[in-house]
Amino acid sequence: MIKLEKIHRNFQVGDQIVHALDDINIIINDGEYVSVMGPSGSGKSTLLNLLGLLDQPSSGKYYLNGGDVTELDEDRQASTRNKNIGFVFQVFHLIPRLTAAENIELPLVLAGVDEEIRKQRVNHALESMNLMERAQHKPPQLSGGQRQRVAIARATIMEPSVLLADEPTGNLDQKAGLNVIETLEQLNQHGITLIVVTHDEALGARSTRSIRMLDGRIESDNTDNKAG
Amino acid sequence: MLLLRDAVHFSWHALTANTVRTFLMLLAMSIGVGSVVILTALGEGARNYITNEFSSLGTNLIIVIPGRSETSGGDPATMLGVTERDLTLDDALALTRHPQVRRIAPLNIGGAEISWQGRKREVSIQGTSAQFLKLRHWEMSQGKFLPDTDLQRPKSVCVIGINIRNEIFGAHAAVGKWLRIGDRRFRVIGILASEGQSLGIDVSDSVIIPVASAQSLFNLPSLFRIFVEVKTREAIPKVMTFIKNTLRDRHQGEEDVTVITQDAVLATFDRILTALTYAVGGIAAISLAVAGILIMNVMLVTVSQRTSEIGLLKSLGASGKAILKLILIEAVLLSSLGAVAGFALGQAGSWIIRYAFPVLPAYPPTWAIVASLLVALVTGVLFSLLPARKAAQLNPVDALMRH
């Protein structure tokens, strides 16, 4: 469960203070499918970075699975990120010199998981992402959709409770984008909390809960009744 | 926690993926280490060369020179540097009495014209004894050296160097022929095989006669030198004292000789050349430092080029420490590879020097190898600390934004 309490995030730009997040209070339960929408500069990316522990709030509390993570030191935050949070980026962020399998393996390597177990879990992930034949290919040899599925496999290899996706279809054509979204939704159906930041209304409409942001504030938070 | 083995694997991958960068860094590092190894090998080679040259003069040698090496008073005799008392053959013989003395050889030197069947040549004549051959580690190519007889008795025999043999006798057999030296005739009984310089005289250009003959030939009762070979190196100080005391007693209490050791001369050269080796090594070490700065530069570029990768690693749960570890391991791998390549380069260079100049035993000293390898590693790591810290402190949000 995610709980944000009176979160503020201010940036100093020149001699002006920009309130990127202004008094945010949200609770997101395990297994929810949330879309975060809003125009550029509305604070949705800042919110996502904060949820992913890549950024610190200026004030306020962030509880992840019951624990206050704003209090943790840098090492603990890194390890929390490693175990509980998966990221999917618009630009995939795969390391080009590593093969698909090695890219997927990275979080396990960083966690110091035994090589034997790593291989098993990577194989399992490759299989479920339908990437078995592409395991030894490097990112430049993969299509956009395949690259994003590698990224998803990497984000989920540690079996995190939360999956954060920042415009996951932004760099994909419609067919590949749909395929990626379906993959993410499938993961959500298996229990992962899925939070998608997007501009795309159609994509936003697929979620069960839609948060709209404007000027660092939550403008609306709708849980529609569509079966999710 | 990131395992060391995996970290090394990851860093190795990063190195091999960027071959041009890695190659350039290795080149810089190996030139640094290599030049230290080669230059110190040269210095060391020069030192060994000189040492060898000196020991070919003879080992455990004490040299007695007539005259004092001190200046005193204003009396005209000292001012003119005139030796007050001759160094005689009896003096030389008296020195054989010490049990630690293996052999002695007196030496007289003079110039004279030699001739045979109209062929003439101005040469330097050395008057000495039978012991001189072994004392100087010389070899005979033909015939015999001077006979081991009474030092006081002149004998009309001579031993000639290979060059004299060729110049004077040409195609004729030299041994057994009578050679005219000054106004006397000496029978050639042997030819020296040895070559090279000794005491400033070309061995192959010298003519050697018994010391008593030289004394009467040049009308010179005083000896030029007495060489004393001591049995062991440890006995040298004792024998020196013995020589000084003996000669003082024989010269009515006047200490009018100078006694020097081969070792003293050698030690001076050794010190000078060791200092030279250090100096040259130090100059070469500058190139190592330059290589270190280059590594820092390239690692800084690496960090900024790989900013988004570092941001990604952070988003995947790498702590600042893990990033620091990865960058440092990369630097250590690079600098140790560079050090090993440089070591190989240095050894190859030293080999080429030895091959090109066989007289120069250019082997790099162990301290130089160890020091250059260590300096390479340490500079590699030290100069990578700054870029590595920079990487570790990167803000992942900013880092991920850049691509």
Side-chain angles (χ1 to χ4, degrees):
Chain A
M1 192 183 78
I2 290 169
K3 186 176 167 195
L4 298 182
E5 252 181 34
K6 294 178 183 155
I7 291 284
H8 289 260
R9 181 67 174 104
N10 306 326
F11 292 106
Q12 181 98 33
V13 179
D15 52 3
Q16 262 192 324
I17 291 177
V18 177
H19 299 275
L21 293 178
D22 190 1
D23 195 29
I24 302 288
N25 296 281
I26 338 174
I27 293 177
I28 299 171
N29 290 310
D30 286 346
E32 274 199 83
Y33 178 8
V34 183
S35 66
V36 180
M37 301 189 63
S40 297
S42 61
K44 55 188 195 311
S45 284
T46 308
L47 179 66
L48 197 79
N49 289 334
L50 209 121
L51 288 173
L53 289 173
L54 292 177
D55 198 5
Q56 308 301 315
S58 305
S59 68
K61 293 278 181 196
Y62 171 15
Y63 299 94
L64 180 62
N65 301 331
D68 181 359
V69 289
T70 41
E71 294 291 309
L72 297 178
D73 63 20
E74 199 250 331
D75 275 9
R76 293 251 176 84
Q77 288 201 348
S79 110
T80 306
R81 209 152 52 218
N82 180 255
K83 292 185 177 61
N84 296 311
I85 299 163
F87 282 97
V88 176
F89 305 97
Q90 179 177 0
V91 292
F92 322 129
H93 276 307
L94 300 176
I95 296 182
R97 62 172 182 276
L98 301 181
T99 63
E102 286 167 335
N103 267 292
I104 295 171
E105 196 185 6
L106 267 179
L108 296 167
V109 170
L110 290 171
V113 174
D114 195 67
E115 193 169 357
E116 201 77 351
I117 300 168
R118 284 200 319 241
K119 292 284 172 268
Q120 286 173 15
R121 285 172 68 173
V122 168
N123 277 337
H124 184 76
L126 283 165
E127 221 168 313
S128 62
M129 287 291 153
N130 204 8
L131 286 164
M132 223 34 197
E133 276 135 49
R134 296 275 161 184
Q136 296 312 314
H137 287 70
K138 294 190 174 166
Q141 300 162 303
L142 300 175
S143 73
Q146 285 168 339
R147 286 187 215 182
Q148 197 59 302
R149 279 186 306 182
V150 170
I152 294 170
R154 182 180 63 189
T156 52
I157 193 84
M158 294 297 289
E159 294 168 355
S161 54
V162 181
L163 187 57
L164 303 172
D166 191 356
E167 301 280 8
T169 59
N171 273 16
L172 300 174
D173 61 40
Q174 195 145 27
K175 189 166 163 252
L178 186 65
N179 178 287
V180 162
I181 278 299
E182 280 168 0
T183 308
L184 290 173
E185 286 170 354
Q186 228 163 29
L187 288 164
N188 175 245
Q189 276 155 24
H190 284 98
I192 203 165
T193 308
L194 176 62
I195 302 174
V196 181
V197 166
T198 184
H199 275 103
D200 185 346
E201 290 290 340
L203 180 52
R206 294 177 70 105
S207 65
T208 50
R209 179 175 171 188
S210 171
I211 296 176
R212 284 184 183 273
M213 295 193 66
L214 190 67
D215 296 337
R217 287 172 169 277
I218 293 176
E219 194 191 34
S220 68
D221 185 350
N222 299 319
T223 308
D224 58 41
N225 297 322
K226 197 174 78 180
Chain B
M1 257 304 278
L2 175 64
L3 299 176
L4 184 65
R5 195 175 49 114
D6 292 322
V8 170
H9 180 81
F10 185 87
S11 300
W12 176 252
H13 226 110
L15 279 184
T16 48
N18 200 335
T19 44
V20 175
R21 176 184 75 105
T22 306
F23 174 76
L24 284 177
M25 298 258 278
L26 285 182
L27 193 69
M29 209 47 165
S30 56
I31 287 175
V33 173
S35 56
V36 170
V37 172
I38 290 176
L39 288 176
T40 52
L42 259 180
E44 194 69 359
R47 195 176 69 85
N48 284 333
Y49 172 72
I50 302 256
T51 313
N52 288 345
E53 279 295 287
F54 265 87
S55 21
S56 76
L57 211 83
T59 37
N60 299 339
L61 266 195
I62 297 175
I63 303 160
V64 183
I65 304 168
R68 267 184 303 189
S69 56
E70 63 185 65
T71 315
S72 64
D75 94 85
T78 9
M79 299 275 284
L80 292 168
V82 172
T83 314
E84 290 165 13
R85 218 164 259 98
D86 293 341
L87 199 55
T88 64
L89 275 177
D90 286 329
D91 288 340
L93 287 169
L95 300 182
T96 56
R97 287 205 299 266
H98 195 281
Q100 282 294 325
V101 170
R102 177 170 287 146
R103 54 176 71 93
I104 64 131
L107 180 69
N108 245 356
I109 284 186
E113 190 184 69
I114 61 170
S115 64
W116 181 75
Q117 289 192 353
R119 297 176 82 93
K120 291 178 183 165
R121 192 173 171 86
E122 191 73 30
V123 297
S124 74
I125 313 288
Q126 301 180 45
T128 184
S129 71
Q131 304 294 336
F132 205 54
L133 182 77
K134 281 191 176 155
L135 195 133
R136 303 299 295 273
H137 302 299
W138 282 348
E139 302 283 336
M140 300 298 294
S141 85
Q142 228 186 318
K144 283 192 285 242
F145 197 68
L146 300 177
D148 194 1
T149 53
D150 185 4
L151 284 184
Q152 307 278 18
R153 189 133 51 94
K155 220 169 177 299
S156 294
V157 292
C158 69
V159 174
I160 59 175
I162 197 90
N163 199 29
I164 302 282
R165 199 224 88 86
N166 295 340
E167 290 293 324
I168 299 290
F169 296 98
H172 302 275
V175 177
K177 297 285 185 333
W178 286 89
L179 181 69
R180 177 166 289 278
I181 303 176
D183 54 358
R184 297 169 192 214
R185 296 200 321 148
F186 291 80
R187 203 155 68 91
V188 178
I189 56 168
I191 294 157
L192 284 171
S194 303
E195 286 179 56
Q197 291 271 326
S198 134
L199 293 170
I201 301 163
D202 193 339
V203 177
S204 64
D205 238 345
S206 49
V207 171
I208 294 152
I209 58 176
V211 65
S213 311
Q215 281 177 317
S216 69
L217 181 68
F218 303 124
N219 190 20
L220 196 72
S222 178
L223 295 174
F224 176 67
R225 294 283 188 274
I226 302 172
F227 293 98
V228 180
E229 188 183 325
V230 186
K231 283 179 185 160
T232 61
R233 195 185 180 88
E234 291 67 39
I236 289 176
K238 264 192 232 160
V239 175
M240 277 179 82
T241 318
F242 163 77
I243 291 171
K244 281 181 191 161
N245 291 339
T246 309
L247 294 179
R248 190 172 55 228
D249 291 347
R250 293 180 58 82
H251 294 185
Q252 287 86 41
E254 283 286 338
E255 198 171 300
D256 56 0
V257 294
T258 303
V259 181
I260 60 165
T261 62
Q262 174 93 354
D263 287 18
V265 180
L266 203 61
T268 308
F269 268 102
D270 202 69
R271 271 203 305 279
I272 294 169
L273 287 160
T274 305
L276 188 80
T277 307
Y278 281 128
V280 170
I283 292 165
I286 293 172
S287 61
L288 257 184
V290 172
I293 291 167
L294 191 83
I295 285 197
M296 173 162 74
N297 231 316
V298 176
M299 288 315 267
L300 277 171
V301 173
T302 300
V303 167
S304 52
Q305 266 181 353
R306 299 225 301 259
T307 298
S308 74
E309 179 183 320
I310 291 162
L312 168 78
L313 288 174
K314 285 200 156 182
S315 79
L316 295 179
S319 61
K321 280 179 204 151
I323 303 285
L324 194 78
K325 196 161 151 186
L326 287 173
I327 301 283
L328 279 186
I329 287 174
E330 206 172 314
V332 169
L333 281 176
L334 252 183
S335 42
S336 35
L337 276 179
V340 169
F343 174 71
L345 191 75
Q347 291 290 10
S350 308
W351 182 83
I352 289 170
I353 291 170
R354 291 199 298 272
Y355 184 77
F357 309 100
V359 293
L360 210 61
Y363 291 93
T366 316
W367 64 261
I369 294 173
V370 173
S372 62
L373 293 183
L374 278 180
V375 169
L377 275 180
V378 170
T379 48
V381 173
L382 273 186
F383 283 110
S384 299
L385 270 177
L386 180 73
R389 284 175 60 99
K390 201 182 147 199
Q393 286 162 1
L394 270 179
N395 178 351
V397 175
D398 296 343
L400 282 168
M401 293 290 283
R402 275 199 256 162
H403 36 255

